[in-house]
Amino acid sequence: MVRFERFEVEQWMDTYETTPGVLNVAETCAESVSIDELMQLSEDKAVNPLRTSTVLTYGAIRGSSTLRERIAALYEGDQLSAENVIITQGAIAANFLVFYGLIGPGDHVICVYPTYQQLFSVPESLGAEVSLWRLRPEQGFVPDVDELEKLVKANTKMIVINNPNNPTGVPIPRDVVYKIVDFAKARGIMILSDEVYRPLFHDGIENNTAMPPSVADLGFEKAIVTGSLSKAYSLAGIRVGWIASGDKAIVERLAEARHYTAISVSQLDDQVASYALSPAVRGPLLKRNIQLAKRNADMLKAFVEAHSSLCSWVAPSAGTTAFIQFHVGGAPVDDVAFCRDVLDKTKVFFVPGSHCFGRGQDFAGYVRVGFVGSTAVLAEALQKLGVYVEQNLGQ
């Protein structure tokens, strides 16, 4: 029997997110949209996202050519084509498939930390040794490439990064991405970059010279990227994600492994995903979500500044999540008890950092806030949270 750790963040969400009257600022998707809203955003009103005459067979096994071509076009240059892309049921299935197909006993994996627990727990469950590459608040949660020299081993098979990062909302800067790729390339180590929050950069994506590249853009064939329509594209309900790599052998290996987990994604989901990534829809949808992220991040920044004696953070500049540490008298709060008490007394719902992202006492006092949902919900949640912390944490 495969041994695996409890997936704490998903367990926490499953336990509490249906609390009656909850003000959910734990959700990590940009505010979800309907198909009607997608059509309203579209610059081509004549195109319908669903072809109702479609006969509902399994459809294209690896995903339709249209969808795979549009995903390949998300990356710069001509390094990727439709043949380099496999469609999965969300990024969570994409990440699992990469580990399932490529990692096993005797392998060593280096993974950034904190990050989504799947990225280090799954390779451990498959028998690999995992070293955690700690991201430190005093370094702005940016990975220190010099530490790779201390972590790497003769059997290191994969380096795992998450860019932009969940839970911190901090992207890995351009120069650091290049250094990571150079390090891996010199040693023939694969890179898995979970880019599920890309391209939700709060300063925008047009003429943004600071925006870090995808590892798929840097000419390293052993780079593997995963993504989905759930986070930056507001379409978690269609369950469409992908794996892309310039290495055809990796793609074929993962396509073979995929037969054990999925035949195909729903043709209807594939059609909606293709529509969302069409030129007429993708630009307006991302513009809407970047504006939403920027507006809501400013609201969260105002909250942290107003209560700076009780909480601190590294301000997020990408994605949908923020990692905030609450403290009393200089000591971190018990974040699990804090989150439960806040939910009980205010209905404000977020997740505890040490419990859902750490091991032992790592990230004590931290909570992850998902702030790119409804602006109205966030405003109400912050107002109630402000009253709570002044009454319960203030001196």
Side-chain angles (χ1 to χ4, degrees):
M1 182 173 66
V2 173
R3 296 182 179 274
F4 56 87
E5 292 186 348
R6 278 171 51 97
F7 201 161
E8 296 294 0
V9 70
E10 298 299 341
Q11 291 278 358
W12 187 273
M13 296 287 288
D14 188 47
T15 300
Y16 295 110
E17 67 182 334
T18 56
T19 301
V22 68
L23 291 166
N24 190 341
V25 288
E27 179 56 68
T28 59
C29 302
E31 186 177 19
S32 299
V33 294
S34 66
I35 291 177
D36 284 345
E37 288 171 313
L38 275 185
M39 295 175 69
Q40 291 167 9
L41 286 167
S42 177
E43 295 170 343
D44 185 353
K45 308 299 185 187
V47 177
N48 194 300
L50 289 173
R51 298 185 297 278
T52 55
S53 61
T54 299
V55 178
L56 297 178
T57 63
Y58 284 116
I61 299 304
R62 297 191 187 187
S64 70
S65 59
T66 297
L67 178 56
R68 289 185 293 126
E69 286 166 2
R70 288 178 178 171
I71 289 168
L74 300 177
Y75 303 97
E76 294 180 0
D78 56 0
Q79 298 174 57
L80 299 182
S81 69
E83 299 306 310
N84 300 95
V85 177
I86 301 173
I87 304 304
T88 62
Q89 282 93 348
I92 193 167
N95 291 332
F96 186 91
L97 188 60
V98 170
F99 295 129
Y100 177 68
L102 300 174
I103 299 298
D107 293 331
H108 176 242
V109 174
I110 298 170
C111 182
V112 294
Y113 172 77
T115 189
Y116 194 51
Q117 183 185 330
Q118 180 198 33
L119 297 179
F120 53 85
S121 284
V122 170
E124 285 180 334
S125 76
L126 296 170
E129 178 190 2
V130 177
S131 295
L132 298 176
W133 187 9
R134 179 98 182 219
L135 308 178
R136 308 175 192 281
E138 61 269 23
Q139 296 172 335
F141 288 124
V142 172
D144 182 350
V145 180
D146 290 340
E147 292 187 9
L148 279 178
E149 291 284 0
K150 302 173 185 176
L151 296 173
V152 73
K153 300 183 178 185
N155 63 334
T156 302
K157 193 171 185 181
M158 183 179 288
I159 297 169
V160 181
I161 60 176
N162 176 205
N163 196 22
N165 179 264
N166 170 20
T168 68
V170 175
I172 301 175
R174 290 184 66 87
D175 63 323
V176 178
V177 174
Y178 278 98
K179 289 177 182 178
I180 294 170
V181 171
D182 288 345
F183 182 95
K185 184 184 291 188
R187 295 161 179 79
I189 300 170
M190 291 183 288
I191 296 176
L192 168 60
S193 182
D194 178 335
E195 299 178 358
V196 71
Y197 293 95
R198 185 181 180 88
L200 202 62
F201 298 98
H202 301 171
D203 289 336
I205 56 179
E206 299 294 332
N207 302 314
N208 183 354
T209 57
M211 187 174 73
S214 166
V215 298
D217 297 335
L218 302 183
F220 180 41
E221 285 196 341
K222 288 185 177 292
I224 305 161
V225 295
T226 56
S228 87
L229 275 293
S230 298
K231 308 298 185 182
Y233 294 96
S234 301
L235 292 169
I238 62 172
R239 308 307 306 132
V240 171
W242 62 84
I243 303 166
S245 176
D247 189 321
K248 292 292 182 67
I250 288 176
V251 172
E252 291 307 311
R253 169 71 177 174
L254 298 181
E256 290 178 7
R258 182 178 176 276
H259 289 309
Y260 285 101
T261 64
I263 296 175
S264 63
V265 299
S266 156
Q267 285 203 65
L268 302 181
D269 290 353
D270 189 302
Q271 288 177 24
V272 175
S274 298
Y275 179 80
L277 293 179
S278 66
V281 181
R282 179 175 178 268
L285 178 58
L286 283 177
K287 181 179 180 181
R288 173 240 192 211
N289 287 352
I290 290 169
Q291 289 175 343
L292 176 65
K294 177 64 175 173
R295 178 171 66 248
N296 288 11
D298 287 344
M299 293 169 56
L300 193 56
K301 179 182 179 182
F303 171 89
V304 173
E305 290 177 347
H307 302 90
S308 59
S309 63
L310 304 173
C311 63
S312 59
W313 70 345
V314 174
S317 60
T320 67
T321 62
F323 215 33
I324 303 174
Q325 187 181 49
F326 287 87
H327 39 81
V328 178
V333 299
D334 178 333
D335 49 277
V336 174
F338 176 73
C339 286
R340 287 179 175 148
D341 197 51
V342 168
L343 178 62
D344 180 59
K345 292 178 178 175
T346 70
K347 300 300 183 184
V348 175
F349 173 56
F350 38 54
V351 301
S354 69
H355 181 70
C356 294
F357 295 95
R359 288 181 166 176
Q361 288 303 303
D362 288 346
F363 314 119
Y366 278 91
V367 304
R368 185 192 70 181
V369 178
F371 61 87
V372 192
S374 161
T375 299
V377 169
L378 180 64
E380 184 177 357
L382 293 179
Q383 187 276 326
K384 291 186 175 182
L385 181 61
V387 172
Y388 174 94
V389 297
E390 291 295 343
Q391 292 178 345
N392 292 274
L393 304 185
Q395 298 299 307

